[in-house]
Amino acid sequence: MTTGQPGTGSARPTPTGDARIRPAIPAAAGTPTPAARTAATASGTTTAAAGTDHTVSGDGTRASIVTNDGTKAATARDDDPKPGSTKHDGPEPGSVGDSAAEDSAAEDSAATDSKAKPGAATGGAEKDGAVKERAGKDGAEKDSAAEGDPAESGDVAKGGKTGEPDGPVKADGEAKSAGSERWEAFASAPEPVPSRLSRSARAVGRYLIHEWTLASLGALALAVLMTWPTLRYPRYTLPQDYWDPSLQAWQMAWSGHILLTEPARLWQSNTFFPELWSFAFSDTLLGYAPAGMLGSGPEDAVLRYNIMFVLAHALATLGAYALARQLGAGRIGAAVAGVAYTYAPWLLAQAGHLHVLSNGGIPLALAMLARGHGWSLRHGYRPERRHDGWVYAGWLVAAWQLSLGFGIGLPFAYFLACAVLVAAVLFYARRLRTGQALPFGRRLLVADGVGGLLFAGVGLLMAIPYFKVTELHPYAERTIGDISIFSPPASGFVTAPAESRIWGGLHEGARAALPWHPEMTLLPGFVLYALAAGGLFFSVWRLRHRLLLLAGVLLTMAFAMGTRFFDGAFTYVPLFEHAPGWNALRTPGRLMLWTTLLLALLAAGAVTALTERVRDLAAQRIPSWPGPWLRLATLLPLLLVTVEGLNTTPHPVVPTQPAALRTVEGPLLVLPSNQSLDQHVMLWSTSGFPDVVNGGSGFTPRQLDDVRRVTQSFPDQTSVDYLRTLGVRTVVLLRGQVAGTPWEITIDAPVDTLGITRQEIDGAVVYRL
């Protein structure tokens, strides 16, 4: 199809209607820049409204508007077209459209698809018009004002006069301003730039709603509720009883105090005077030393203990949650694992043993190590997810867990050693079988090497004092007979302690049949048993992984039975005789910690499979009801394991520190002296930490036995002379504790002939030797 141009005497081809109709090109950022408009004007190009084609001569003297139906709406020209005129079909992005002397008929013709913006024209040479562009992904239309960029003053810019190619067109300033202001209201508003305060608030908000923030806060809130009323009177009461907790409160206070004042004397504590290495007579909770640096005196020591008691529960919940999530469990499944691991009924009997409850570092370290190595139970080894930073963090947490005590830390150390060995064997076995090695990386190898050395170094430094104690006190070593006393029977796995609110009363008869029920009631929870059993058949874990978890459960149960499982000949006894340090563990039942963790992982797999199935069913329902109710039902396992962990743990008031112990100087002896009362004396000694002969631990040194035996007749010449040879300078006899003891008669006896002084101080008699 051709269209003749007036005054040219020749015909020029014109594109067909299909060729002229082009889709609107969205503007990148609203109004074209002045530079772009100048360049477009110089080259003779134009921009038309959507659906309209413009043809403009190179010198800017002719413009035509062609509508979508192929008709020419208006043509404006000068006397004769200049040679070399250019015709453009369709809108060009960033160009400026010019039309002159358009009549009303042309406007009506093009009104459907485009609107011409009236502008000032001089000699019919130029016109500044508004451009209406179709922009945005949703097809919304945006109007922007297109302005000419004049190159020189005057009404008309002649082509070739200004040094610009083809001669730029200069528009009238006033008309340009008026046209621009009319259409600026339709331009898109610029996106506001947020202030620094707004950006900070958004960052804090994202942090607060992050999964791990919510998990940490949830674990802490649950710990406060499940251990209540621990924090009701945290300076005056202790959970379970006030014997072992008093000892452990002193341990934290001592480690913090001595590391600030005289670190070299850490293992030579102020108790059991004049014994050496006395801080290693029991598990030390050394990892809590930073907390021990805050506060002083017995009340602060009790407050510190109660805070760490609650935080230990929170960390255990968070650690097991993190491990389950890393292995591939969903959020609800991981929450079930965290709660079941922390609040298993058998742990309620250990409420007075903070070193047993402080086990959260175990699953947390395993989660960090697994994440650093890019491994999960559900997805296997993914090398692209490796991160050596998490490996360093995992080994640090493992070393910190070990520093809390060998009672829980030693089995953890052996587990890590076995896990490293098995992983290395499997890694190289795959290489031999396939001929291709899985990528591991030098950085990861260095991280494991450095982290493993750190862990081993902490273990060795912690073990040296215990080896010294064994040398000085060989009678402190355990025997197979000691292990037999604390080995639970199989019935212990279904028997709950008295502190269980749900099962405590119902299992009273079963507990009575156990020789030492505080260490033999090992019920991890009937709900946990049921969920783990379901996880063997319905789970997100692979079948071989479920079978491995089941094997781990049965194996750890056999070890937890000590000598009750075929006399321990195939389980506990070989470790006791050949594994370094294992003969110091006298309570096999505490290995139930590993059984509980494995059961919790089996349960997490089952609950995760359930929640995913419910989510799929809810998505398929149209309408979605009762989808929300189904999703709410997935919280039922979490609710059940929480309820089964409710307790009736008592919180007795701690005996008040005698006023005499706030002022006397050591070395001193407090009478009466026995295992229970000496643990109170250790707590009271946190006021200034004077050297005291008293002390309570897992074993009693023979020298302390001798002191207790000789001082039965105190005050007399024999006992006074003996105490002087030990270096004791003060004896405090507590009136409130002498009932039924030999001191009930001798407490008021005269001491003039013994060369000592006697003074009454607020319910106590102070003897200065």
Side-chain angles (χ1 to χ4, degrees), residues 329 333 336 377 526-551 553 597-611 637:
V336 169
L377 196 64
F526 291 112
V527 175
L528 183 58
Y529 276 143
L531 292 174
L536 294 174
F537 305 97
F538 180 69
S539 176
V540 295
W541 313 134
R542 294 183 177 91
L543 178 59
R544 66 175 182 271
H545 294 152
R546 287 178 254 167
L547 295 178
L548 286 174
L549 289 174
L550 176 62
V553 168
L597 181 59
L598 296 174
L599 288 171
L601 294 179
L602 274 173
V607 175
T608 301
L610 174 64
T611 55

Side-chain angles (χ1 to χ4, degrees), residues 458-738:
V458 170
L460 180 60
L461 291 175
M462 290 281 295
I464 290 175
Y466 290 93
F467 289 137
K468 293 290 186 180
V469 170
T470 303
E471 292 177 6
L472 296 172
H473 309 278
Y475 52 88
E477 291 189 30
R478 314 295 183 188
T479 65
I480 290 294
D482 297 328
I483 304 303
S484 300
I485 295 175
F486 296 100
S487 296
S491 60
F493 296 119
V494 291
T495 305
E499 292 81 3
S500 173
R501 184 177 294 274
I502 304 299
W503 308 114
L506 298 174
H507 292 183
E508 185 176 357
R511 283 194 305 273
L514 298 175
W516 185 253
H517 67 82
E519 296 290 348
M520 296 182 180
T521 50
L522 302 180
L523 175 68
F526 291 112
V527 175
L528 183 58
Y529 276 143
L531 292 174
L536 294 174
F537 305 97
F538 180 69
S539 176
V540 295
W541 313 134
R542 294 183 177 91
L543 178 59
R544 66 175 182 271
H545 294 152
R546 287 178 254 167
L547 295 178
L548 286 174
L549 289 174
L550 176 62
V553 168
L554 298 178
L555 183 64
T556 53
M557 279 185 167
F559 276 98
M561 292 178 67
T563 59
R564 294 294 186 106
F565 185 80
F566 294 101
D567 295 327
F570 307 103
T571 54
Y572 206 89
V573 172
L575 289 176
F576 184 88
E577 293 178 346
H578 303 291
W582 202 272
N583 56 359
L585 306 180
R586 65 172 181 173
T587 50
R590 292 175 183 176
L591 291 175
M592 192 65 188
L593 185 71
W594 293 92
T595 306
T596 306
L597 181 59
L598 296 174
L599 288 171
L601 294 179
L602 274 173
V607 175
T608 301
L610 174 64
T611 55
E612 291 182 357
R613 180 60 176 163
V614 166
R615 189 183 304 115
D616 293 341
L617 289 175
Q620 296 171 7
R621 292 176 177 269
I622 301 176
S624 61
W625 188 91
W629 294 103
L630 285 175
R631 285 191 289 269
L632 189 62
T634 60
L635 296 176
L636 184 61
L638 178 60
L639 177 63
L640 291 177
V641 295
T642 303
V643 170
E644 197 170 20
L646 295 176
N647 66 85
T648 58
T649 302
H651 288 74
V653 177
V654 180
T656 306
Q657 179 191 30
L661 293 180
R662 302 191 192 107
T663 58
V664 296
E665 297 180 358
L668 63 91
L669 169 66
V670 179
L671 295 175
S673 175
N674 54 61
Q675 174 73 12
S676 300
L677 184 59
D678 280 6
Q679 290 175 331
H680 298 324
V681 175
M682 298 173 80
L683 176 61
W684 296 335
S685 72
T686 56
S687 293
F689 294 96
D691 289 332
V692 296
V693 179
N694 306 73
S697 69
F699 78 100
T700 303
R702 287 178 178 173
Q703 182 173 273
L704 182 55
D705 270 338
D706 293 340
V707 170
R708 291 172 178 171
R709 177 176 50 81
V710 171
T711 57
Q712 290 289 320
S713 58
F714 183 88
D716 66 344
Q717 194 64 51
T718 302
S719 59
V720 170
D721 292 342
Y722 178 73
L723 293 176
R724 281 174 174 168
T725 60
L726 293 179
V728 177
R729 294 295 177 260
T730 307
V731 176
V732 178
L733 187 55
L734 304 177
R735 283 190 177 273
Q737 302 291 332
V738 299

Side-chain angles (χ1 to χ4, degrees), residues 31-32 37 47 95-97 117 128-131 144-148 176 179-180:
T31 306
R37 292 195 303 269
T47 300
S95 63
V96 179
K117 175 183 175 182
D128 292 312
V131 182
S144 60
E147 301 177 7
K176 174 184 66 176
S180 174

Side-chain angles (χ1 to χ4, degrees), residues 22-72:
R22 298 182 180 181
I25 301 177
T31 306
T33 61
R37 292 195 303 269
T38 302
T41 304
S43 61
T45 61
T46 62
T47 300
T52 306
D53 289 344
H54 285 220
T55 57
V56 183
S57 63
D59 58 358
T61 59
R62 176 171 44 231
S64 64
I65 302 177
V66 182
T67 60
N68 287 336
D69 58 1
T71 61
K72 190 173 299 183

Side-chain angles (χ1 to χ4, degrees), residues 126-180:
E126 67 177 281
K127 173 186 176 295
D128 292 312
V131 182
K132 182 176 182 182
E133 297 181 351
R134 190 175 307 273
K137 295 181 180 180
D138 57 353
E141 294 187 16
K142 296 182 180 179
D143 293 316
S144 60
E147 301 177 7
D149 189 11
E152 58 178 339
S153 60
D155 293 336
V156 179
K158 304 292 183 181
K161 298 294 184 179
T162 62
E164 298 287 336
D166 296 330
V169 179
K170 186 180 76 171
D172 181 83
E174 294 181 0
K176 174 184 66 176
S177 177
S180 174

Side-chain angles (χ1 to χ4, degrees), residues 224-406:
V224 172
L225 294 176
M226 295 294 285
T227 60
W228 191 260
T230 299
L231 295 183
R232 185 177 184 181
Y233 303 108
R235 298 172 69 90
Y236 309 104
T237 63
L238 286 171
Q240 187 78 348
D241 55 57
Y242 43 56
W243 295 301
D244 283 353
S246 294
L247 163 64
Q248 293 164 342
W250 166 82
Q251 288 174 330
M252 286 188 283
W254 168 255
S255 60
H257 161 77
I258 203 64
L259 289 178
L260 286 176
T261 56
E262 196 177 353
R265 196 192 157 193
L266 171 64
W267 298 100
Q268 318 300 331
S269 74
N270 70 312
T271 59
F272 294 100
F273 177 84
E275 294 284 357
L276 300 176
W277 307 100
S278 55
F279 194 48
F281 285 180
S282 58
D283 276 340
T284 62
L285 294 174
L286 187 58
Y288 289 150
M293 298 177 182
L294 305 176
S296 62
E299 288 187 358
D300 286 347
V302 172
L303 172 64
R304 184 186 304 113
Y305 179 92
N306 284 321
I307 292 175
M308 300 313 297
F309 179 81
V310 174
L311 291 180
H313 286 81
L315 181 63
T317 304
L318 181 63
Y321 176 89
L323 179 60
R325 286 290 282 155
Q326 173 59 31
L327 295 182
R331 291 184 178 88
I332 299 178
V336 169
V339 174
Y341 174 74
T342 307
Y343 302 103
W346 77 272
L347 282 169
L348 298 178
Q350 304 291 333
H353 301 142
L354 184 58
H355 62 293
V356 177
L357 298 177
S358 298
N359 52 58
I362 294 176
L364 184 60
L366 294 177
M368 290 178 170
L369 290 172
R371 180 167 184 174
H373 288 84
W375 184 84
S376 71
L377 196 64
R378 191 173 184 180
H379 306 290
Y381 179 55
R382 292 179 288 182
E384 69 279 3
R385 292 178 176 262
R386 293 170 297 168
H387 196 292
D388 58 313
W390 283 110
V391 175
Y392 285 113
W395 284 112
L396 281 173
V397 173
W400 172 80
Q401 176 67 55
L402 187 63
S403 71
L404 293 175
F406 285 115

